[in-house]
Amino acid sequence: VETVSGTTNPNATEGVSYDFGTGFNFLGGFQTTVKFRRSISRDVIKRGDLYEDISTSWPDLSIQIRPFKRLPLIKGVVNKFIDVFSPRTGYSRSTRERHDLGRDFVVSKATATTQNPVLSLNFKLFRSLSLTSSYSVSKDENEERNRTTGAFQSRSESVRKSIGGSMQYSFSAPGGLSMPLFGKLKFRSTVNLSLDIKYNTATNSTWDAANVLTSSTEKNEIEIRPDISYTFSQQIKGGLSMRWRDSDTSDRKTHLREVQIWMEIRF
């Protein structure tokens, strides 16, 4: 069949993906899930080099501990501890590879490891007061190779760590307001207090073909965000929000101070 234009650029790819998952519950409180994922995409027709991309995620693991339903002898003590702290953790690892189908070698490879969170705790001290804390770590590695020979060319690594905590407290009190002719109008006011604190660190490093460190940068950041909101009634709301953030990199420092006051009146 004669083509309409003088040139053609046909492209065709094929792919397949797998996804498996399972989990178990131990004694009614220890809950675990784990997943495996893989996807493969391959060039069939393309102008230039043909590649195959393989992405694999294994393991994708999450662990959560809830009050046990069956635990001989120490069930009461352990469940009281779990009610206060509610611990959980998670871990995942994924890889991405690109293969040159014509020359039969790996062109690039990337690995990402995430522990999100390494550990997370939710403290329930009182009915209206709760505290949350978490610690997370992630690491990304990238390896580049020469697209002609397949020889090692460069490698980069990025490590990020995050520590965070938050506090929430709320209370309400019934009240009223006396008005002529209308008598006493009843309402219920509510105050919500929250405080979020985060500390993040990030390190980026690069190595050359001789595995010599060529560059390295580090960034530290802390952010504090207190927030107060007041609900006088369904029609009148207000609040005060503040943010304090300091960032320190290898060659630059930045500071942010922010205050926001808001009010909402509905008629």
Side-chain angles (χ1 to χ4, degrees):
V1 179
E2 184 180 359
T3 59
V4 176
S5 60
T7 60
T8 59
N9 187 20
N11 290 279
T13 61
E14 62 180 8
V16 64
S17 62
Y18 308 93
D19 194 334
F20 302 97
T22 185
F24 69 91
N25 189 314
F26 181 67
L27 297 178
F30 190 89
Q31 299 180 357
T32 301
T33 59
V34 61
K35 297 179 181 179
F36 171 83
R37 300 184 181 93
R38 170 168 287 184
S39 62
I40 302 173
S41 177
R42 183 182 297 106
D43 294 327
V44 179
I45 302 174
K46 190 183 71 172
R47 175 176 294 180
D49 297 330
L50 302 180
Y51 296 104
E52 180 185 59
D53 295 319
I54 302 177
S55 299
T56 305
S57 177
W58 169 260
D60 189 352
L61 177 68
S62 65
I63 300 174
Q64 186 173 4
I65 302 177
R66 297 181 177 179
F68 287 90
K69 296 180 180 179
R70 302 179 303 277
L71 191 63
L73 302 179
I74 58 174
K75 174 182 175 181
V77 176
V78 173
N79 284 348
K80 287 182 179 179
F81 176 85
I82 295 174
D83 285 336
V84 174
F85 293 99
S86 301
R88 65 183 181 90
T89 184
Y91 175 84
S92 63
R93 184 179 185 272
S94 61
T95 60
R96 299 189 309 274
E97 292 186 356
R98 164 160 284 195
H99 297 257
D100 191 314
L101 296 177
R103 300 181 179 89
D104 194 22
F105 57 71
V106 177
V107 175
S108 62
K109 182 178 180 180
T111 303
T113 304
T114 304
Q115 294 173 270
N116 184 24
V118 176
L119 182 64
S120 176
L121 300 175
N122 297 323
F123 302 90
K124 298 179 182 179
L125 300 181
F126 306 102
R127 178 178 299 179
S128 302
L129 176 63
S130 62
L131 302 174
T132 302
S133 64
S134 63
Y135 174 51
S136 303
V137 178
S138 62
K139 181 179 180 181
D140 294 332
E141 296 178 286
N142 293 278
E143 184 178 302
E144 296 292 336
R145 294 181 175 270
N146 189 289
R147 294 182 177 270
T148 303
T149 63
F152 173 75
Q153 188 168 315
S154 64
R155 180 170 64 92
S156 62
E157 181 181 279
S158 175
V159 180
R160 297 178 297 275
K161 299 179 181 179
S162 177
I163 302 175
S166 64
M167 180 197 72
Q168 293 183 347
Y169 179 69
S170 63
F171 60 91
S172 60
L177 182 65
S178 298
M179 300 184 65
L181 302 178
F182 296 98
K184 188 175 183 179
L185 300 178
K186 294 184 178 181
F187 59 86
R188 187 178 185 87
S189 58
T190 304
V191 178
N192 297 307
L193 306 175
S194 65
L195 176 64
D196 294 330
I197 301 176
K198 292 182 179 180
Y199 178 71
N200 302 319
T201 63
T203 304
N204 299 309
S205 305
T206 305
W207 291 264
D208 60 12
N211 205 24
V212 177
L213 182 65
T214 57
S215 66
S216 180
T217 60
E218 184 176 353
K219 180 180 179 180
N220 300 317
E221 182 179 271
I222 184 172
E223 183 175 270
I224 302 174
R225 301 187 63 171
D227 183 84
I228 303 173
S229 63
Y230 178 75
T231 302
F232 182 78
S233 65
Q234 294 183 352
Q235 287 75 31
I236 301 177
K237 301 178 182 179
L240 171 67
S241 301
M242 294 177 286
R243 182 166 59 162
W244 175 307
R245 186 176 64 192
D246 289 339
S247 299
D248 185 4
T249 59
S250 300
D251 56 354
R252 184 183 180 184
K253 294 183 179 181
T254 60
H255 307 280
L256 173 67
R257 306 292 183 264
E258 181 181 273
V259 178
Q260 182 183 25
I261 301 174
W262 62 274
M263 178 175 288
E264 178 183 301
I265 302 177
R266 295 185 178 184
F267 298 94

